[in-house]
Amino acid sequence: MRNAKIAGMGFFVPENIVTNDDLAQMMETNDAWIQERTGIQERRWVIPGEDTTSGMGVKAAKMAIENANIDTQDIDFIIFATLSPDYYFPGPGVQVQEALGLDTIGALDVRNQCSGFVYALSVADQFIKTGMYNNILVIGSELHSGGLEKTTRGRGVSVIFGDGAGAAVVTPSDYSSGILSTHLHSEGAHAKELALIGPATNRWVDEIIKDGDPDDLSYYPHMNGNYVFKHAVTRFPQVIMEALTQNGYKPEDIDLLVPHQANLRIAQFIQRTMKLKDDQVYNNIMRYGNTTAASIPIALSEALQEGKVKKGDLVCLAAFGSGFTWASALIRW
Ligand code: COA
């Protein structure tokens, strides 16, 4: 069976920078609180109407295709991970197929929130390994800003999330390099601890409007912050160790860990627990906030641009988020 590798990466973030001081104009919060609890200094929020989840995904995809040095027409499958699609249905994969002018190729949408990119990468890995496809476009893109409650009531959630997109082109590789393994997990018992409950088939728009309850927050993302934090700091090291152990490696063998950018405190906790050095972990949440499915491909793209990943390096991607879902991928670059 052949191996799969990431042949090119790209990303896009909106130009509009929203600082913590900007947020303090909208709600009772402050730069010190946000930085102390999350490490975030600023995030990018789309100016309403200027971009979309699929549009940002297309921009990231074009950069990844160029970086992979292939022709757009060589793409033979699309996998799009997001929790913030342009439409309730269809998912944004088909919009990418149309925007890139790709002739009726398959497009799959992945709904795994912060773990979405690693789940999508794992699907691509399987399709490449079996020989079904040769140049798979994997996108993670999110437009959070339009759906956040930007008031003091919503501050525990709204200060954390940012907009952006990242993409990878996954192609066949030789046996000495590429994706070594992927590991996917879920625990639905915690589904409501980090969720957007409605509008959905569980709670239709009509019902929300009919009830007119000012305390009904079902249409805003809900997060039990402390609860999420505790599970995240347990699951991240577990799933990273699972990948290392399966491949006969130890934490000191990792050249670069790119964790999902959930919260800088979570990343620092993982680093301490696993006794990793500063140059073994890449973080950019300070500049972009938490961009859920887009965070890993944005961070990996920047790490590559900064020369922090070289051929032959052992790279670990790891994610945890709503579901709960968590996942890792170990890659010999
Ligand atoms: N600015 C100022 N104060 C805020 C605030 C904000 N943006 N958000 C909440 N607060 C207040 C709360 O109202 C509370 O006030 P009180 O003590 O008077 O009731 C106080 O700060 C502490 O709130 P709490 O929610 O207990 O804070 P915390 O220490 O748990 O930090 C998070 C909140 C969200 C930063 C933290 O729980 C976290 O990072 N969790 C993980 C979240 C995450 O990573 N999610 C993505 C997973 S993929």
Side-chain angles (χ1 to χ4, degrees):
M1 217 193 307
R2 61 186 186 166
N3 238 359
K5 69 172 180 193
I6 294 178
M9 293 290 313
F11 76 105
F12 173 82
V13 288
E15 271 177 29
N16 182 39
I17 296 172
V18 178
T19 64
N20 295 341
D21 288 338
D22 291 334
L23 292 181
Q25 307 292 314
M26 306 173 201
M27 59 190 84
E28 283 171 35
T29 190
N30 57 75
D31 179 54
W33 192 98
I34 298 172
Q35 286 213 47
E36 191 195 317
R37 307 288 174 115
T38 71
I40 300 167
Q41 293 165 12
E42 58 188 39
R43 74 287 294 141
R44 306 295 179 101
W45 280 1
V46 165
I47 306 252
E50 285 198 357
D51 222 327
T52 59
T53 297
S54 64
M56 290 190 289
V58 166
K59 287 174 198 152
K62 285 182 176 167
M63 184 172 161
I65 291 167
E66 198 181 322
N67 185 242
N69 207 15
I70 60 164
D71 198 274
T72 302
Q73 293 303 320
D74 293 335
I75 296 294
D76 52 7
F77 195 64
I78 298 162
I79 309 177
F80 200 123
T82 188
L83 63 71
S84 52
D86 299 10
Y87 311 138
Y88 186 96
F89 72 85
V94 297
Q95 292 169 283
V96 175
Q97 176 271 326
E98 166 70 8
L100 292 181
L102 295 164
D103 187 22
T104 68
I105 63 167
L108 176 72
D109 295 287
V110 166
R111 296 287 313 265
N112 287 82
Q113 300 70 248
C114 302
S115 310
F117 182 79
V118 183
Y119 265 75
L121 187 68
S122 178
V123 175
D125 184 34
Q126 315 314 315
F127 276 144
I128 296 283
K129 279 190 171 129
T130 59
M132 182 141 172
Y133 297 114
N134 287 311
N135 294 294
I136 303 180
L137 186 55
V138 180
I139 300 172
S141 179
E142 304 285 5
L143 200 161
H144 285 295
S145 54
L148 298 170
E149 190 186 20
K150 301 181 195 84
T151 65
T152 299
R153 191 173 63 175
R155 65 187 178 175
V157 176
S158 54
V159 302
I160 291 177
F161 294 97
D163 303 338
V169 172
V170 183
T171 66
S173 167
D174 61 44
Y175 280 100
S176 60
S177 68
I179 299 167
L180 304 177
S181 63
T182 55
H183 307 269
L184 313 178
H185 294 280
S186 71
E187 200 175 21
H190 311 296
K192 288 189 178 167
E193 304 297 343
L194 177 48
L196 200 160
I197 301 298
T201 54
N202 169 69
R203 185 145 173 73
W204 290 107
V205 178
D206 279 0
E207 257 179 81
I208 294 173
I209 295 171
K210 181 162 54 72
D211 291 355
D213 175 359
D215 293 325
D216 179 0
L217 301 180
S218 63
Y219 44 88
Y220 286 121
H222 160 77
M223 179 172 73
N224 184 349
N226 269 304
Y227 192 87
V228 173
F229 195 102
K230 282 180 195 141
H231 283 261
V233 294
T234 308
R235 295 306 190 184
F236 266 110
Q238 269 178 11
V239 81
I240 295 167
M241 280 314 297
E242 185 181 351
L244 291 172
T245 307
Q246 175 159 327
N247 294 282
Y249 293 115
K250 297 198 163 62
E252 57 264 36
D253 297 319
I254 296 177
D255 290 299
L256 197 67
L257 170 68
V258 182
H260 160 54
Q261 301 292 290
N263 178 322
L264 190 61
R265 306 298 161 233
I266 293 176
Q268 289 168 335
F269 197 97
I270 305 164
Q271 183 178 336
R272 272 199 309 276
T273 309
M274 303 196 69
K275 299 188 174 52
L276 298 171
K277 299 191 196 101
D278 286 350
D279 64 359
Q280 283 179 286
V281 186
Y282 190 85
N283 290 304
N284 63 3
I285 192 170
M286 304 73 87
R287 284 176 283 123
Y288 301 129
N290 180 338
T291 59
T292 52
S295 90
I296 288 180
I298 294 174
L300 185 54
S301 295
E302 287 203 330
L304 280 157
Q305 280 184 346
E306 292 165 20
K308 295 197 164 133
V309 179
K310 296 173 295 301
K311 193 162 172 46
D313 279 357
L314 191 65
V315 176
C316 186
L317 313 180
F320 174 88
S322 161
F324 291 151
T325 60
W326 61 103
S328 64
L330 197 64
I331 304 169
R332 178 62 70 188
W333 206 264

